[in-house]
Amino acid sequence: MCVYLVLAYMLSKTPVFLPLFSMSSRLNHKVMIYVMFSLFCIMGTYFGLQINDAIANTRAIGAVMGGLFGGPVVGFFVGLTGGLHRYSLGGFTDLACAISTTAEGIIGGFSTPTSFSGEKPASCLIHWLFSQLLYSLKSSRC
């Protein structure tokens, strides 16, 4: 987990990634955001803790951050990529994880500052809590 955070911090300080954090609508920036945060989703799965054939992980961070920086479409594809990767690993929570990771990317995309121009930063917290509630409800039914 610490390796994941150190890597994310180091990448955020490089000149290559600095333009990506400024809500750009350029296609090449969106593709870079997709690739970077999809890798974070996959790394979050592998750096997770295995508990009874399930994985306690940080995969949602990549999906939500991809949505925040790239918008709902990029968030959807980042979440879908992370979700399909988790689904391919199997286990009794594979479908729930795939659906919730995709939903978290979409929710992150709709939580962008341009989507909620008049709201406070607490709206991101509310959206994150909603996505975790969705994940918990879906996991309990599978």
Side-chain angles (χ1 to χ4, degrees), residues 49-92:
L49 179 63
Q50 189 85 16
I51 302 172
N52 296 334
D53 200 28
I55 301 172
N57 60 71
T58 57
R59 181 179 47 254
I61 292 174
V64 171
M65 294 303 288
L68 283 172
F69 289 115
V73 174
V74 175
F76 168 75
F77 284 112
V78 170
L80 184 66
T81 302
L84 289 175
H85 173 262
R86 173 61 185 93
Y87 185 78
S88 71
L89 296 177
F92 69 94

Side-chain angles (χ1 to χ4, degrees), residues 17-30 33 37 64-75 108-117 124:
F17 289 104
L18 286 177
L20 301 180
F21 299 124
S22 62
M23 292 305 294
S24 172
S25 61
R26 294 177 52 189
L27 181 62
N28 62 343
H29 286 180
K30 300 264 186 200
I33 290 170
F37 289 111
V64 171
M65 294 303 288
L68 283 172
F69 289 115
V73 174
V74 175
F110 284 117
S111 299
T112 59
T114 56
S115 298
F116 297 103
S117 58
C124 290

